[in-house]
Amino acid sequence: MTVCNACRYCEGFCAVFPAMERRLTFSDPDLKYLANLCHNCRGCYYACQYAPPHEFALNVPKALGELRLETWREFAWPRFFRGLFRHGGPTVWLAAAVPAAIVLLLVLVFQGPGALIHLQAGRAGFYGVIPYKLMVVPFSGLGLLVLAALLVEFARFWRETGGRLAELAGPGALLPAIWDALRLKYLDGGGHGCNYPDDRFSHNRRWLHHFVFYGFLLCFLSTTVAAILEHLLGRRAPYRFLSWPVVLGTMGGLSLLVGTGGLLYLKGKMDPRPAASGASELDVGFLVMLFLTSLTGLLLLILRQTPVMGLLLAVHVGIVAGLFITLPYGKFVHAVYRFAALARNAVERSREEDH
Ligand code: SF4
Ligand code: SF4
């Protein structure tokens, strides 16, 4: 950062360089903030005259990427789980396989093999495989735990980087941060796209990320609408093809399939030199979990009137449980930290304008 602060060639690429220029020295919290403000567009690696083979061997995306992983480990809650960030790959595979196997086993033991392989059409279909209370109570508890872990991680990062609670309440932090996040502003590399998967400029990664982001939101919306129909209006799943939960879930699932599939393809072709060590495992694990969640969800929708509905439901519920469990200890947390860094950046920008 000290070399960059003297050079300043990359100042138009993203928010990191203007934020860096507001500082003369760099404390640990400053660096953690800058690391999470970086969107890993890689522009500053290919543009840098001090990148390898220069003797300075500057590699800003790699250095910031590795520091990002360190901050995620440092602020993880409960601390006991911070080691999961070091074993992102195996953790995710276990998280996908173990809950799916447990749900299958429980259905077999308590409901019998008929629940998995018989036609379960009609209003009581899904709950004929997994009873209503067993579906709602564990997922509500898990959802609250995940939310608590993510809030604690956000709060720890915000406090460490010098933020105050009052700053978050003002419009100067949240609204610009939400606007920057919704547009993925800093994945456009200053307008020409990022250098991903190689040194050529491209907007593909940004668009694929949009598919994932908005697909995730649509699936979340679909689940929320389904919960309202179920719990407030007493209308039990499964719902008609042209109902709000199914339409939103289908759009979200397809969007997730396109986004995660495309990002996995690009990852297979990416230049590994600007990549942080250990980051790819987390990225791939999270993308695969999202891909499997949307794939099994869509298959369940298409095949819900067939004999394999019970089997598909058990596998889908198990994979969703695995996805939930790993949310605070995997790649998903980049959304939390990056949003916090964008909010911090918005506060700094507004202070600068006031002066
Ligand atoms: S990454 Fe290289 S070119 Fe860019 S500001 Fe830093 S030193 Fe300058
Ligand atoms: S990789 Fe992109 S977002 Fe990160 S510091 Fe470099 S130019 Fe900025």
Side-chain angles (χ1 to χ4, degrees):
M1 288 292 99
T2 311
V3 176
C4 290
N5 220 2
C7 164
R8 301 194 172 187
Y9 178 77
C10 301
E11 66 183 355
F13 286 6
C14 67
V16 172
F17 292 93
M20 175 197 74
E21 290 169 14
R22 292 184 201 111
R23 291 157 169 82
L24 294 174
T25 56
F26 299 93
S27 63
D28 280 359
D30 283 336
L31 292 171
K32 288 170 192 169
Y33 156 57
L34 294 176
N36 283 283
L37 191 57
C38 167
H39 284 51
N40 195 23
C41 78
R42 299 172 158 211
C44 62
Y45 173 75
Y46 295 106
C48 183
Q49 60 271 38
Y50 302 121
H54 190 279
E55 62 182 315
F56 287 2
L58 229 75
N59 190 336
V60 175
K62 184 176 168 68
L64 293 184
E66 283 166 7
L67 182 53
R68 247 192 327 272
L69 282 177
E70 269 182 42
T71 59
W72 299 352
R73 279 195 282 267
E74 180 182 348
F75 300 127
W77 183 85
R79 292 187 191 279
F80 173 74
F81 289 123
R82 64 170 61 168
L84 296 183
F85 282 108
R86 285 190 206 284
H87 310 288
T91 302
V92 164
W93 301 123
L94 279 176
V98 173
I102 290 175
V103 175
L104 274 172
L105 195 67
L106 289 176
V107 173
L108 267 177
V109 170
F110 291 104
Q111 305 288 85
L116 289 178
I117 49 172
H118 278 180
L119 184 63
Q120 298 282 348
R123 287 169 64 83
F126 289 169
Y127 301 119
V129 181
I130 303 176
Y132 177 74
K133 281 185 185 161
L134 284 183
M135 191 96 88
V136 172
V137 175
F139 268 101
S140 303
L142 196 56
L144 289 175
L145 281 175
V146 167
L147 189 63
L150 295 174
L151 282 174
V152 170
E153 291 174 0
F154 181 95
R156 281 182 171 163
F157 176 82
W158 188 253
R159 199 178 48 211
E160 169 83 0
T161 54
R164 286 176 289 116
L165 198 60
E167 287 173 334
L168 275 178
L174 288 188
L175 292 181
I178 290 171
W179 184 230
D180 287 344
L182 290 179
R183 291 178 296 153
L184 284 177
K185 179 169 168 26
Y186 298 114
L187 264 188
D188 76 351
H192 39 53
C194 50
N195 298 102
Y196 193 87
D198 51 32
D199 59 343
R200 284 169 292 184
F201 293 109
S202 163
H203 284 284
N204 288 346
R205 184 176 180 208
R206 187 172 179 221
W207 287 115
L208 289 168
H209 197 296
H210 274 315
F211 273 107
V212 175
F213 180 74
Y214 288 103
F216 195 86
L217 282 190
L218 284 170
C219 289
F220 182 73
L221 201 58
S222 159
T223 311
T224 309
V225 172
I228 292 170
L229 289 178
E230 182 100 44
H231 305 300
L232 298 185
L233 303 179
R235 287 170 52 193
R236 289 253 159 136
Y239 301 107
R240 286 177 296 109
F241 279 103
L242 284 180
S243 60
W244 278 108
V246 174
V247 171
L248 291 169
T250 306
M251 283 164 47
L254 288 173
S255 181
L256 274 173
L257 275 186
V258 171
T260 52
L263 287 174
L264 281 167
Y265 172 74
L266 291 184
K267 193 150 279 296
K269 292 172 54 173
M270 88 175 177
D271 177 359
R273 290 173 297 174
S277 5
S280 275
E281 273 191 352
L282 281 187
D283 292 354
V284 171
F286 181 56
L287 287 172
V288 169
M289 284 297 278
L290 281 180
F291 186 87
L292 290 177
T293 302
S294 42
L295 182 68
T296 52
L298 289 172
L299 283 175
L300 180 61
L301 175 68
I302 296 165
L303 301 174
R304 63 184 179 170
Q305 300 289 350
T306 72
V308 292
M309 182 276 274
L311 186 63
L312 274 173
L313 179 68
V315 171
H316 179 63
V317 166
I319 290 175
V320 173
L323 177 70
F324 263 57
I325 293 165
T326 51
L327 281 185
Y329 315 108
K331 175 67 189 222
F332 178 79
V333 297
H334 81 288
V336 174
Y337 289 100
R338 196 156 284 152
F339 183 74
L342 285 171
R344 170 122 304 282
N345 186 49
V347 170
E348 286 187 0
R349 276 197 328 238
S350 95
R351 268 195 217 134
E352 202 171 46
E353 282 159 18
D354 288 347
H355 288 123

